[in-house]
Amino acid sequence: MKNDNELLFLPLGGSGEIGMNLNLYAHRGKWLMVDLGITFADDSLPGIDVLTPDTAFIEGERDNLIALVLTHAHEDHLGAVPHLWDRLKCPIYATPFAAAVLERKLSDGGHDKTGPIHIVSYGEEQEIGPFNVTYWPITHSIPEGSALTIRTEAGTVFHTGDWKFDPDPVVGKPTDEERLRAIGDDGILAMVCDSTNVFGEGESGSEGAVRESLIRLVDQKPGRVVITTFSSNIARIRSAADVAVATGRSLAVAGRSLLRMIDSAQKAGYLNDIPKILRDEDIPLLPRENVLLLCTGCQGEPRGAMSRIAFSDHPHVSLDPGDTVIFSSKIIPGNERPIGALCNRLVESGVEVLTEHTDFVHVSGHPRREELRRMYAHIRPQIAVPVHGESVHLTEHSALAASLGVPEVVTPHNGNVIRLAPGPAQVIDHVPSGRFAVDDDLLVSTDSDALRARRRLMHNGIVVVVIVAGADTADVRVSVHGLASEPGENLADDIGAEIEYQIGRAPRARRQDPVELESFARRAINRVVRAISQKRPLVDVQVILPTSTGRRRRQKEVVE
């Protein structure tokens, strides 16, 4: 940093996208990280489920990275810690529930679960280098959602984290809006604020209202009822337990992530007063009308319990005509297709399906416009910095903040270095940002050769050629995968014949040159494939030549 007196804000994830949150603050030569989350991959990255932020920039500042502060336990805020821990290894600050979730994740990932996690209490000031950080409780769809005041000599930032105003949150207490107004009274330089639901008018609604709606819906159903939701939505788990009691059903749980999250919640003092939870293997022993099953897989994940049940692949649970499945969750953009396929499968089996589009079964954990207006009225920042949204959300949030009279508004994107003070708030620099793909136990760039090849293989297929060269002739073997041809045609035979023709008409010296042989193969593949298709397959050419000792030498090259 050029000027240690400056207060800088730098998002490396979560600005220009929903999920994968990583925010950095800099002052006096030190960096403070707020959240380190994941997002989920789409079909453009075959074989990849999870993405993390690219932390190359802050790894270069590792000696100056003084802490990671976690606002709450959702995957998009702490899920990347186990994957990136070995690259950062800085002290971590978290509330008891977030710490319990993270410790389990670190332990499952083979890390020391007793690492440097500092458990924080609400309202208690944490002196972290040049930053004074205080956690404040704020309602979200998970226990111990937290907003932060980050005080520095250059000014104070109010970092909202994920939040909403809920008069009946089911788990935890409603947000103390008087406390928020008192924070605003102290003077806030900048508010870095959630933008997820900025296009929604009114308020997001109460978890307590969802609970009452679920009780009414489930009470009407004659058979088994399944509620599928996010495993981290502890408030919804609590609501499901209340629904089971109110409707005279036994609550069972299917899905390891749900069981792990319930265990972490109970260790942190939540969900300890709910009735005994049955395991999925107990379900066949109960009358169908007495079962309320809570399970994972609300986004249509193939390995989620809901998909396994729907496609008759679950060892203990099955559904019959007259049973009901409630998708008590938001349909995340991009997941419409797998969720639709899952719903169709259930309906075809005679199962009734309820979603947020048909019934009141879900409320968001993020603020709508009326809640945003109230938050700005409480905090009264000099600068608005919208985060946690795609570009359209951030731009709309900026317009809303400006309409509310906020003097300065900066719309960030990942990699923008924003000076908050001194002087006018503005983007002053840009650093590289991006994504890592979690490929088994490896972190690879989403633009890596391996993933580019995998994408190309998925869309274009592959041609493998083995050429065994002799003194005067060559034996050519071709296999083709993922390329279509006309009925009755054999693309591998056509390619092989064209390669043999190219080799046969060449001088003898060229027939013994592995580079020339590979060139013949590439030209032949291009000629044959392009005559019938616009595809550009991966090409793997192997040339085997005789040696003077009678053994053979093998050379392999993969070309595009």
Side-chain angles (χ1 to χ4, degrees), residues 22-234:
L22 193 174
N23 298 294
L24 291 161
Y25 294 92
H27 185 59
R28 296 291 183 188
K30 302 299 180 182
W31 290 91
L32 178 75
M33 183 183 294
V34 177
D35 292 330
L36 184 59
I38 63 168
T39 192
F40 296 100
D42 57 23
D43 292 342
S44 67
L45 292 170
I48 301 298
D49 294 325
V50 171
L51 302 173
T52 78
D54 184 336
T55 51
F57 169 78
I58 195 60
E59 288 172 39
E61 294 282 340
R62 179 171 163 175
D63 290 344
N64 296 317
L65 177 62
I66 55 176
L68 165 60
V69 176
L70 299 172
T71 60
H72 63 283
H74 273 149
E75 288 291 304
D76 61 332
H77 290 259
L78 64 66
V81 177
H83 302 294
L84 296 166
W85 174 242
D86 289 336
R87 297 167 178 252
L88 302 174
K89 288 194 173 178
C90 61
I92 298 173
Y93 291 77
T95 62
F97 176 69
V101 172
L102 181 58
E103 285 177 351
R104 181 185 286 274
K105 286 181 172 293
L106 290 171
S107 179
D108 290 346
H111 302 284
D112 180 5
K113 69 177 183 178
T114 62
I117 301 178
H118 301 279
I119 308 297
V120 300
S121 299
Y122 287 125
E124 178 183 314
E125 296 183 7
Q126 309 290 329
E127 295 292 343
I128 309 173
F131 304 95
N132 177 291
V133 179
T134 306
Y135 277 68
W136 303 104
I138 197 163
T139 306
H140 189 40
S141 55
I142 196 168
E144 300 171 2
S146 303
L148 308 172
T149 50
I150 303 172
R151 295 182 175 87
T152 71
E153 294 175 353
T156 299
V157 175
F158 186 71
H159 188 106
T160 69
D162 291 1
W163 65 279
K164 63 183 292 186
F165 291 134
D166 187 340
D168 185 10
V170 175
V171 173
K173 297 179 180 180
T175 300
D176 184 347
E177 295 189 51
E178 289 187 9
R179 167 54 62 185
L180 294 179
R181 177 160 283 278
I183 290 171
D185 289 342
D186 288 339
I188 296 298
L189 172 68
M191 182 164 74
V192 177
C193 185
D194 183 354
S195 307
T196 310
N197 281 343
V198 68
F199 287 104
E201 286 294 346
E203 300 186 4
S204 292
S206 174
E207 181 64 31
V210 172
R211 176 183 57 193
E212 297 307 311
S213 178
L214 289 172
I215 289 172
R216 289 192 296 271
L217 290 168
V218 172
D219 200 39
Q220 302 169 7
K221 306 305 175 185
R224 283 180 177 167
V225 176
V226 178
I227 296 176
T228 179
T229 191
F230 296 106
S231 60
S232 59
N233 194 337
I234 302 300

Side-chain angles (χ1 to χ4, degrees), residues 344-375:
N344 284 328
R345 173 71 177 190
L346 291 165
V347 171
E348 289 164 2
S349 301
V351 175
E352 183 182 9
V353 175
L354 309 181
T355 73
E356 65 173 346
H357 295 316
T358 64
D359 294 89
F360 181 42
V361 295
H362 177 67
V363 289
S364 173
H366 301 271
R368 291 192 171 200
R369 293 176 76 87
E370 183 56 35
E371 293 160 283
L372 287 166
R373 292 185 184 103
R374 282 163 57 190
M375 180 63 83

